[in-house]
Structures are given as structure tokens and as C-alpha cells.
Amino acid sequence: MAASPGPAGGAAAGAVHGSGPFGLAFDSGLEIKTRSVEQTLLPLVSQITTLINHKDNTKKSDKTLQAIQRVGQAVNLAVGRFVKVGEAIANENWDLKEEINIACIEAKQAGETIAALTDMSSLNRPESDGQITIFTDKTGVIKAARLLLSSVTKVLLLADRVVIKQIIRSRNKVLATMERLEKVNSFQEFVQIFSQFGNEMVEFAHLTGDRQNDLKDEKKKAKMAAARAVLEKCTMMLLTASKTCLRHPNCESAHKNKEGVFDRMKVALDKVIEIVTECKPNGETDISSISIFTGIKEFKMNIETLRENLYFQSKETLSAMLDALLERTEDFTDCAYTSHEHRERILELSAQARMELQQLISVWIEAQSKKTKSIDEELELAILKISHSLNELKKELHSTAAQLAADLVKYHADHVVLKALKLTGVEGNLEGLAEYACKLSEQKERLVETCRLLRHVSGTEPLEITCIHAEETFQVTGQQIISAAETLTLHPSSKIAKENLDVFCEAWESQISDMLTLLREINDVFEGRRGEKYGYLSLPKPMNNANLKSLKPDKPDSEEQAKIAKLGLKLGLLTSDANCEIEKWEDQEDEIVRYGRNMSSMAYSLYLFTRGEGPIKTSQDLMHQLEAFAEEGLKLASSVQAFSKQLKDDDKHMLLLEINKLVPLCHQLQAVTKIPLQNQVFLKVDKSITKTRCIMATLVQLLSLCYKLLKKLQMENNRWVSVTNKDSVDGKT
């Protein structure tokens, strides 16, 4: 926590004469009333600052006097409302009551002083000659404004402490109830305690959600989102894991499964408290020191300072920075899944960066001894060369990690291993369990390794944190799936053991799906397509199907949800394939490219809808998006048809075959959107997403074919121009 500023100095004093009224940013989880009063005060105090800085010879017209009086009265009223909220907080928190009340009294006095000094109602009367106003006592207004800023700041900081205490108290209640749940021995007792636990978790979720929204630091916000997502998902896991343990009290794997859930929830609860209290445990490392991209950014900033100051850095410091940076690339070169070509290229670029640094140091030493124009140019060239080498290394690392992640998500989209584990469980097949548990462990290790590589190339702190969250989720959930599968295999007729395994498998599938979104966002950051205010879709979100629920009177069953999610994931993968084809085109404004990009963007929104996310919220939104998507597909078909007229007969025929696939699919999708909803909502969504997926698959083929035919056409045109020029020269000869 920041310390409260003094009554008249520090931040408050500077604010009166500075550009902003407070000059402070609060991460305060205050009530809406408190926040609204604070927002009312800020512009009014700003106006007082303007009045304080007015010129003494300004003409005191009636309009000016009325404006001054209105501002003073408005400030006093806003302060009054603020003080009431502050006093209410004080009455509920006896340990802080005295401090809050003193600050409220100071704020009230300051408000009344400002109102009195800006009271212009009797200024034009004869008896007002001795009246003290803003015109005669500017110092008094400055002191009152400083006192107001200081006292309001104190109340806000004290109220922030109240919110932190509320979160800590709520966490402690949750922990106490969890301890009781761990020791429970009967179903009846478990149901009663779990009901209490659910209510306490709802309260904790509300408090931490408000706090997350109030945080200004994106890194803290991402950490809070990750911790809250763990708690959200683990609550359902805790229910089924505990019930399985009660049903099979002598089963070691069931106890292991349950303990894993409790342990993860306790870690997440501690993480929330670390964030709100800003207290890091000893030995915690800063993730920015691990990321290669962050290291490259810092190194480049250091070498660029040499342009201004040759003595700002030491040679040893730069060499050590580069060595540490390149040492981290071993995560890529030592990875068993990195291709030989990528590994060789990374090693080559690392060696080149070392050589470029030695050359830079050599020129740098020379520049320190003699100052000439040629030496300055050599130094600039050396800086540019090593910067270029590091940029090339960044590209190669990004390409390696992105390709590994895309291939992995595509390969595991069908969740074959999870299905096999469920089957071996209900069959009681222990040999099959051992085989598929081994395969899941291998899959888990590969996913964990890939998340680690993605973290290096994520490009922003929130995305780094999301990569860490994904890595931890795969690591923990993988082990829990195996223990849940073992329990089911030992008790193949147990419905609760089967339900428990399903819950953990759903969490795994959800994380695989999240990885696709994470990869897309990392690519967006790397290619500069993300604006500053663009939200991170990959930040962990609660597991829900809110959008599907809004479409259907009854909740879709688990089979329906799984089918929609699977269709959505395949659609998401196709949007990535379409984007790859689009990026090959040199002319990004080409009509075919433009329509293809629009279709890919719309398809991605549909994919987000299947996950309960994104801009599509209702059935009407969905139908509008599908209609627009089909319309864009027909426009694309028209553009491709126009392009086909430039081609030879064989090429034209090949392209028209693809167009003839696309047009009927678009018409069929339009027909699906016109079917009345009634109670067939799931069926309609299923058909719509299936048709959209077919259209996207055709789009990928069409974009690839158009690009190849365009290149062929350009080569033929260039050859014809070359031959024509040669004939022209021969004729002249």
C-alpha cells in the first residue's frame, strides 16, 4: 500500500498547480457510490485549479461571479456526499473509524471553506467591502484545495484497506470450510457443508471480481483472472472428487485425486491474497526475466543508449546480458519436438548475434578513443546489424513455437486418448489404463513444453501469465485425469467415478481449446495487429455455456455441449488455416483477399460463440452473423469468377469446380438461418456450425488455388513481356 500523503504537501500540493487534479491512480475496490463521488470531485477540483490560476485583472462580470459560485457549491455538495459514504464505512470498521472520521472532518471543512470563498452573492453590495473571497484570498483557496485533496486521498486509501480486509476475511472463511470438507465422512454432512462452501465461494468471487475490474496494472489483472479461473473450475472438481472419495473410501487413487484439487485451490487462494496485498513470498522470480522477447527488448534498449552516451554501459554488462539471453534459447534447441531446420537456424542466428556484439564492442572501444564522423557511422552500422540479427532470431523463435503449438492443437483436437481412458475405465481394463495413461503423460509433457516456448515469444506480460496458467493447468490436470481414470477402472460400475473423470476431461478439453485462442493472440501481438485497448480473449474465463443456454429453454446436455465445442474447435483451426493462406498474398487489398479475411473474422466470432464468449450473445445475433457470412461467401465467389476469366481453359475449369462447391454451401446456410427456431435450437446451431465449417474448408482450398494460379499467370505474363522485348530488340538489330 502507498503511504497517505501529508495534509498540505506531497502529491496533493503538486496537484493544485499541476495539470491533473489528483495526479494519483487508485487500485481501490470501493463501492460504486464512493467511486461515483470521487469521479464527481475530480472535475470540480480541476475547475477550482483554473479559478486559482485566473488573472487578477480579469473582468468580474456577473456571469463570471455566478460560475465561480456554482463551482464552489457543487464542490461542497460532492464533498458532503463523499463524507456520508466515508462515515458509513467508518461505522462498519471500528479499527479504522477514528482515522476515517478525522479525514472526513478535514474534507468537510475544506468543502465549506471553498464554498464560503466562492460565495459571490453579496459581492456587489456596499457592505461587502471587507468580505474575504477568492479574489482577495487566493492562498486560502489553495490551502483549502490541498486539504480537500489530502483528506479525500486518505479516505480512499483507508477504504481500500477495508476492501482488502474483506477479501482476506472471505478467503479465511473459504479455507476454514474447505478444512471441514476434507475431513467429512458422510454424504449428508458433506451436502450441508458444501452448500455453505458454495455460498462462501460466491461471496469471494464477487469481491475478487470487483477488485480485478479496479486493478490498473494489466499484469496483476491477468494474475487475478488466472487465480479466479482455477477456483471456478476446481469448485466443480472438488464436488465430484469428494463424492467419489466418500463412495470409495478405501481407494487410494480417489484420495490422491481429491487431494490434488484441494491443494490447487489453496494455492489459488493464496495467489489472490498476494495480488491484493502486494506481498510476494520469498524467492518468487519475476517472469519478465524468463522471457526471451523481454530480454531482447532490454538488450536492444541498452545498445541504443550508445548513440547518446558511449560510457553509459560497460562491455562486460552487455556481454553478460547477451549470454543470458542466448542461454534461454536452449529451451528451443534442447526441445525434442523442435525440427532440425529450426534448431540449426536458431543456433546460426545465436552465433551471428555473438559475432555482431564483438564487432560492436570493437567499434565502441575505438569510438571512445577518437571522435570522428566515420567512427560514428561505423558504430551506428554495428548497432543496426546486431539489432537486425536479434530481430531475425525473434522471428525464428516465434515461428518455431507457433508451428509446434498449431500442430499440437490440431493433432489433439479429437481427444482420442481421453476417449480411450474413459472406455478402459468402464471396461475395468487395467492394462489399457496403463497404456493410455502413459500416452496422456507424453501428451501432457509435450503441451507443457510448448506452453513454455510460447511464454518466451508471447510479447506481453498478460499473455506470459496466460501461458504460465496453461502450463500449470496441463501439468496438474493431466495427473488428476490419470488418478480419476484409475479410480473408475477399479470401480467400473461407479456412476460418480465416471462423472468425476468426465469433469476432469472437460477441463483438459477446455484448456486445449483456450490454447488455440492464446496462439492467435500471440500471433496478433507479434504481427502488430493488436491495439492497446484490445482485450485478451485468452485470459482464463469461467467454464460456462451461457450463450448456448440463452438459445435454448432447457440446458443442453453434456453430449450436445461436447458436440458444439468440438465443431467450434475445428472451425477455429480452419480460421487459422485461412489466415495462413491470406498472408501469402502480396496485395492485401485484393478483392479475393478482402472477402476471405472478412469470412475468416466472422468464422472466428462463431468459434468464440461455441465457447460462450465473443460478441455474439443471442440467437438473433447468431442468425445475423451467419447471413452476413453466407453473403460474404457469395461475394467472394463472384470475385473469383471474375478472376477466372483471365485464365486458360484448364486452370479456369479447375477454379470453377471449387466455386461450384462454395456457392451451393452458402445458399444452404442461408436456408438454415430461415428455419423457425421453436424448440429445435440445438439442431439449428449444429447445422449452422457444420455448414460454416464446410464453407471455411472450401475457402481454404479456394484461396490456396487462387494464389497458385495468380502466381502462374504472373510468371506467364512476365515471360511474354520478356519475349516481346527480345523480339523488339532483334527487329531493331
Side-chain angles (χ1 to χ4, degrees):
M1 290 292 291
S4 299
V16 174
H17 296 289
S19 57
F22 273 86
L24 296 171
F26 298 104
D27 281 352
S28 51
L30 301 175
E31 297 175 25
I32 294 170
K33 270 169 78 178
T34 316
R35 198 181 293 113
S36 65
V37 175
E38 178 195 351
Q39 289 166 354
T40 307
L41 278 170
L42 294 180
L44 293 171
V45 176
S46 183
Q47 289 179 53
I48 293 170
T49 306
T50 306
L51 293 173
I52 289 168
N53 295 331
H54 79 281
K55 294 179 181 177
D56 292 331
N57 59 0
T58 304
K59 187 179 178 182
K60 302 176 185 66
S61 65
D62 288 343
K63 195 173 181 181
T64 303
L65 297 176
Q66 287 170 11
I68 291 170
Q69 184 165 327
R70 276 199 305 273
V71 170
Q73 289 172 346
V75 168
N76 196 26
L77 286 170
V79 169
R81 290 196 296 273
F82 186 86
V83 165
K84 279 184 182 176
V85 176
E87 287 171 345
I89 293 170
N91 289 333
E92 293 170 7
N93 298 273
W94 288 91
D95 52 335
L96 297 174
K97 185 173 182 179
E98 188 177 351
E99 287 182 81
I100 294 174
N101 281 338
I102 290 170
C104 286
I105 291 166
E106 288 176 356
K108 195 173 181 181
Q109 287 173 350
E112 289 170 353
T113 302
I114 288 169
L117 290 171
T118 54
D119 183 6
M120 304 296 165
S121 57
S122 59
L123 196 62
N124 294 325
R125 297 176 194 167
E127 65 270 20
S128 67
D129 288 344
Q131 183 182 345
I132 298 171
T133 67
I134 189 172
F135 298 109
T136 59
D137 187 11
K138 188 182 285 187
T139 306
V141 179
I142 292 171
K143 284 182 179 177
R146 284 177 176 173
L147 181 60
L148 176 61
L149 294 171
S150 173
S151 53
V152 167
T153 301
K154 282 181 188 175
V155 174
L156 292 173
L157 291 171
L158 289 166
D160 196 50
R161 282 167 59 185
V162 169
V163 174
I164 291 169
K165 284 174 65 179
Q166 284 178 342
I167 292 172
I168 292 171
R169 274 200 301 267
S170 179
R171 188 280 305 256
N172 291 342
K173 284 198 306 189
V174 169
L175 273 177
T177 309
M178 279 176 67
E179 284 180 17
R180 291 173 63 199
L181 281 172
E182 279 186 280
K183 297 171 185 174
V184 75
N185 290 316
S186 72
F187 267 107
Q188 189 176 357
E189 189 184 359
F190 173 79
V191 170
Q192 289 173 349
I193 298 172
F194 191 83
S195 176
Q196 179 189 336
F197 173 74
N199 292 332
E200 289 168 356
M201 282 299 294
V202 168
E203 180 195 349
F204 188 73
H206 281 307
L207 288 170
T208 54
D210 290 341
R211 186 69 179 183
Q212 182 181 322
N213 292 334
D214 286 325
L215 289 169
K216 306 292 187 294
D217 187 328
E218 289 297 322
K219 184 175 171 182
K220 287 182 187 174
K221 193 173 278 193
K223 283 184 175 181
M224 181 71 90
R228 293 180 72 241
V230 169
L231 293 170
E232 175 97 19
K233 292 181 181 180
C234 282
T235 301
M236 179 54 73
M237 294 175 182
L238 185 144
L239 174 63
T240 57
S242 297
K243 283 164 69 179
T244 305
C245 246
L246 288 168
R247 180 76 69 195
H248 309 289
N250 299 321
C251 183
E252 188 181 337
S253 58
H255 283 282
K256 184 180 176 184
N257 183 255
K258 173 186 156 185
E259 285 165 12
V261 179
F262 275 95
D263 289 346
R264 195 164 189 223
M265 287 190 81
K266 286 172 186 175
V267 170
L269 288 165
D270 288 343
K271 181 60 71 177
V272 170
I273 300 305
E274 280 174 34
I275 295 162
V276 297
T277 59
E278 298 182 0
C279 294
K280 292 183 179 180
N282 293 332
E284 182 178 313
T285 56
D286 188 355
I287 61 164
S288 62
S289 64
I290 303 167
S291 164
I292 294 175
F293 273 27
T294 303
I296 289 175
K297 185 180 176 183
E298 289 174 359
F299 181 81
K300 284 170 71 177
M301 284 169 62
N302 276 279
I303 60 170
E304 282 165 9
T305 58
L306 296 175
R307 292 186 177 116
E308 306 297 327
N309 187 343
L310 293 172
Y311 301 94
F312 183 72
Q313 297 287 343
S314 70
K315 290 87 182 166
E316 293 76 18
T317 301
L318 283 183
S319 294
M321 281 184 76
L322 186 66
D323 286 342
L325 175 66
L326 296 180
E327 189 179 338
R328 290 175 213 144
T329 62
E330 290 174 8
D331 285 353
F332 288 79
T333 54
D334 291 350
C335 176
Y337 314 110
T338 302
S339 69
H340 177 71
E341 291 77 13
H342 281 305
R343 185 178 289 108
E344 288 299 309
R345 182 68 177 144
I346 291 166
L347 291 170
E348 180 189 329
L349 289 167
S350 298
Q352 189 176 333
R354 281 198 172 91
M355 185 180 70
E356 299 287 4
L357 179 61
Q358 291 308 313
Q359 194 173 344
L360 172 64
I361 290 172
S362 177
V363 176
W364 180 12
I365 292 168
E366 195 176 348
Q368 286 177 331
S369 59
K370 53 180 180 178
K371 187 76 176 170
T372 64
K373 188 178 178 182
S374 62
I375 285 293
D376 287 345
E377 288 173 354
E378 282 184 46
L379 183 65
E380 179 65 24
L381 183 62
I383 291 170
L384 292 173
K385 276 186 176 180
I386 193 167
S387 294
H388 176 72
S389 294
L390 291 172
N391 286 338
E392 289 299 307
L393 180 60
K394 273 180 72 174
K395 284 181 189 175
E396 192 62 31
L397 294 173
H398 173 268
S399 172
T400 304
Q403 187 178 321
L404 280 172
D407 291 346
L408 198 54
V409 171
K410 194 176 289 188
Y411 183 73
H412 294 300
D414 291 330
H415 307 293
V416 174
V417 176
L418 296 185
K419 290 173 184 174
L421 277 171
K422 289 178 185 179
L423 188 61
T424 55
V426 294
E427 290 175 349
N429 182 353
L430 287 169
E431 288 182 8
L433 170 70
E435 179 189 343
Y436 288 108
C438 185
K439 286 185 178 180
L440 184 69
S441 294
E442 289 171 7
Q443 184 179 328
K444 178 199 73 177
E445 289 306 318
R446 189 165 181 180
L447 285 162
V448 166
E449 186 84 10
T450 304
C451 289
R452 202 167 291 144
L453 300 186
L454 284 175
R455 179 175 54 180
H456 277 305
V457 303
S458 53
T460 69
E461 286 186 327
L463 285 176
E464 278 188 54
I465 289 157
T466 308
C467 290
I468 291 169
H469 170 78
E471 183 183 332
E472 290 171 351
T473 300
F474 284 127
Q475 190 73 264
V476 175
T477 311
Q479 292 296 332
Q480 289 176 315
I481 287 172
I482 292 169
S483 59
E486 187 179 338
T487 304
L488 178 60
T489 309
L490 293 170
H491 308 278
S493 59
S494 173
K495 287 184 180 179
I496 184 57
K498 184 179 182 301
E499 183 189 348
N500 187 46
L501 178 58
D502 287 341
V503 167
F504 285 99
C505 288
E506 281 170 21
W508 181 274
E509 289 168 14
S510 172
Q511 195 58 56
I512 291 275
S513 183
D514 286 343
M515 201 169 172
L516 178 66
T517 310
L518 174 61
L519 176 59
R520 188 180 181 117
E521 290 184 343
I522 289 171
N523 288 337
D524 283 351
V525 169
F526 184 77
E527 290 161 21
R529 290 200 296 260
R530 182 189 298 288
E532 285 182 10
K533 295 185 179 179
Y534 186 88
Y536 289 99
L537 298 171
S538 64
L539 286 178
K541 297 173 182 68
M543 289 172 64
N544 64 64
N545 288 283
N547 291 344
L548 292 178
K549 288 175 190 174
S550 69
L551 283 176
K552 188 173 178 180
D554 300 317
K555 182 180 175 182
D557 62 37
S558 58
E559 189 177 340
E560 289 176 342
Q561 290 179 7
K563 189 175 181 183
I564 289 290
K566 185 177 175 181
L567 286 171
L569 181 57
K570 289 180 178 177
L571 184 60
L573 292 168
L574 284 167
T575 63
S576 293
D577 292 341
N579 289 337
C580 289
E581 291 300 332
I582 287 165
E583 284 166 10
K584 292 178 184 176
W585 291 63
E586 292 170 7
D587 182 7
Q588 287 291 306
E589 295 306 312
D590 186 284
E591 265 195 0
I592 294 171
V593 172
R594 197 165 67 248
Y595 291 133
R597 191 187 299 116
N598 290 346
M599 289 176 73
S600 178
S601 178
M602 290 177 186
Y604 188 67
S605 295
L606 293 167
Y607 156 66
L608 291 177
F609 169 80
T610 64
R611 300 181 60 211
E613 299 167 4
I616 304 173
K617 303 296 181 189
T618 65
S619 56
Q620 196 172 8
D621 291 344
L622 177 64
M623 294 307 117
H624 284 324
Q625 183 79 317
L626 290 167
E627 285 170 4
F629 178 82
E631 190 65 35
E632 209 71 1
L634 293 171
K635 289 178 184 176
L636 174 78
S638 178
S639 293
V640 173
Q641 199 154 17
F643 166 68
S644 70
K645 292 174 183 176
Q646 303 173 45
L647 304 173
K648 292 180 179 178
D649 287 345
D650 287 347
D651 292 342
K652 183 177 180 179
H653 178 69
M654 190 170 22
L655 196 56
L656 289 174
L657 284 174
E658 290 299 322
I659 296 171
N660 290 338
K661 291 179 191 174
L662 179 64
V663 173
L665 285 169
C666 291
H667 287 312
Q668 288 165 21
L669 182 59
Q670 286 177 326
V672 171
T673 61
K674 291 177 173 61
I675 298 170
L677 277 172
Q678 297 171 353
N679 291 323
Q680 299 296 315
V681 180
F682 169 75
L683 188 61
K684 188 168 180 178
V685 172
D686 183 16
K687 281 186 177 179
S688 301
I689 301 298
T690 302
K691 287 292 176 197
T692 306
R693 204 186 77 197
C694 293
I695 291 172
M696 283 302 295
T698 307
L699 173 67
V700 172
Q701 295 295 326
L702 199 54
L703 287 170
S704 176
L705 182 58
C706 284
Y707 177 76
K708 288 173 186 172
L709 294 175
L710 177 66
K711 284 291 177 188
K712 184 179 177 182
L713 185 65
Q714 287 171 345
M715 285 175 66
E716 286 172 355
N717 288 342
N718 289 340
R719 196 157 49 239
W720 183 83
V721 170
S722 176
V723 170
T724 305
N725 290 341
K726 185 176 183 300
D727 289 346
S728 176
V729 171
D730 290 344
K732 286 179 183 178
T733 304

